Every structure is written in structure tokens, then in C-alpha cells.
Amino acid sequence: MTLRLASRHLLALRRRSEEAYPEECCGFLLGRPHKGVKEVAAVRPSANAAESGPDRRYRIPAEAYFDAQRDAGQRGLAVVGFYHSHPDAPAEPSEEDRAGALPGVSMVIISVENGRAGAARSWLLAGDRSRFDPEPLDG
């Protein structure tokens, strides 16, 4: 599977990551899967509700997830992925990321070094939840 993210959406993720720094930002990727490609049609930010350590973790509130699902459905879309930033850390998933991820759902991570967005990478959790595999990011 490939995740296709328009340049305007990638720019929005990068800006949101810089605005949230030194904390993690997070949100949803709404789109349509079709013939091996998940085409992102909209990016929907979420509050980071992590009660401790929002600079090293994120938590999307349940109500934000329900709102994103409803919004996607009204647009004829689905939640095809999530995004979050890694302040002063690489764009690679952590063990905590693995614990909260869903197989088959894209996870875009944006590295933010000293307040400047850097690499953005997409990941897919393996079906047995043992590891993340890189997902091609077209954008």
C-alpha cells in the first residue's frame, strides 16, 4: 500500500508540528483507499490529551475520533491514517506508538528538530503487531 499525501496536506502537517513544538501534535488523515493507494483528501488536527509527557507522547481523545469518523463518513471518506510529531527525535515509531497503533492504518510521523519540521515518514503496523514496516509516502 502507498499513502498519497498532497503537498498542501504535507505542508499542513509540517506547520502543525512546528506550532505544537516542543509538544507532540496529532490528528487524522481522511481519504479513500483505491487499488493499493490510500489517497488523503483531508487532514484533521486533534488536541493532544496526553496527561503526562506531551513532549514524548500523544493521546487522541475518544470524542475527537468519533467526530473524525462522522466527518469522514459525511464526506464519503474514511480515516485512513493518523499523524503525530516527534519533537527532537527521528520520524520512527516508538514502542508506545506500536502499543496504540492499528494494523493496516497509516501512521505518519514528522520529526521536529529545534522547532523545525524535518523528515516525514509513513509506517504500517504488521498484522501480528510485532513491528512497523515503512509505507511508501507519495507526496
Side-chain angles (χ1 to χ4, degrees), residues 9 30-32 41-44 68-78:
H9 293 134
L30 310 181
R32 295 178 191 91
V43 173
R44 184 182 170 105
Q69 288 279 52
R70 183 175 47 251
D71 181 28
Q74 290 171 346
R75 297 180 189 206
L77 304 172

Side-chain angles (χ1 to χ4, degrees), residues 40-53:
V40 175
V43 173
R44 184 182 170 105
S46 173
N48 180 352
E51 294 178 6
S52 65

